[in-house]
């Protein structure tokens, strides 16, 4: 699965709250492949200039869980992703269909 999403970091991999100044929403082109969510600046994919970016932003979803972020009311169509190493992210999708699709793809991949 691929597509543009907005992402906000909430917790780092140690379960510690993400530092102030690093909790803003950013747009990424997101690709799920081999249990890894790659976040690129745009859909030009694994272009050379983006390789370090995408590795830096890769999220391992094995033993992670995606759920609708019903408690987050500032934006619509948001899900929360908690990873096995206790990092936590919010992702905003374009509509409710995309929301369900991302959640199901992450949880049942
Ligand atoms: C964050 C940015 C986010 C905001 C976050 C801020 O500031 O304004 O949009 O999250 O609030 O810390 P910065 O750009 O300096 O990282 P919301 O959009 O969810 O309010 P937070 O501190 O409550 O996470």
């Amino acid at each position: 699965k691929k597509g543009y999403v907005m992402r906000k970091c909430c917790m780092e991999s140690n379960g510690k709250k993400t530092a102030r100044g690093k909790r803003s929403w950013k747009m990424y082109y997101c690709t799920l492949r081999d249990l890894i969510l790659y976040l690129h600046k745009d859909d030009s994919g694994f272009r050379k200039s983006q390789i370090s970016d995408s590795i830096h932003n890769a999220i391992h979803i094995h033993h992670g869980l995606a759920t609708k972020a019903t408690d987050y009311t500032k934006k619509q169509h948001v899900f929360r992703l908690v990873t096995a190493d206790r990092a936590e992210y919010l992702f905003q999708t374009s509509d409710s269909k995309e929301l369900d699709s991302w959640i199901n793809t992450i949880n049942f991949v």
Side-chain angles (χ1 to χ4, degrees), residues 17-24:
K17 194 172 179 183
T18 301
R20 262 195 81 205
K22 291 183 177 174
R23 295 201 294 263
S24 53

Side-chain angles (χ1 to χ4, degrees), residues 10-95:
C10 301
M11 301 280 189
E12 301 304 301
S13 54
N14 51 12
K16 230 174 95 181
K17 194 172 179 183
T18 301
R20 262 195 81 205
K22 291 183 177 174
R23 295 201 294 263
S24 53
W25 287 95
K26 282 194 189 125
M27 189 170 80
Y28 291 100
Y29 188 76
C30 193
T31 307
L32 181 62
R33 204 169 78 179
D34 303 331
L35 292 168
I36 299 173
L37 213 46
Y38 294 96
L39 302 173
H40 303 281
K41 285 202 178 77
D42 56 51
D43 64 3
S44 56
F46 291 83
R47 210 186 261 172
K48 204 179 172 194
S49 62
Q50 290 194 17
I51 286 175
S52 62
D53 263 3
S54 59
I55 289 168
H56 182 71
N57 284 322
I59 300 173
H60 294 251
I61 62 157
H62 191 51
H63 290 157
L65 183 67
T67 53
K68 279 184 193 177
T70 49
D71 56 322
Y72 188 83
T73 51
K74 292 180 188 175
K75 290 179 188 288
Q76 276 193 301
H77 317 307
V78 176
F79 71 87
R80 174 175 286 110
L81 173 61
V82 179
T83 63
D85 58 3
R86 295 183 298 141
E88 191 180 311
Y89 307 90
L90 292 176
F91 284 90
Q92 184 185 31
T93 62
S94 52
D95 54 44

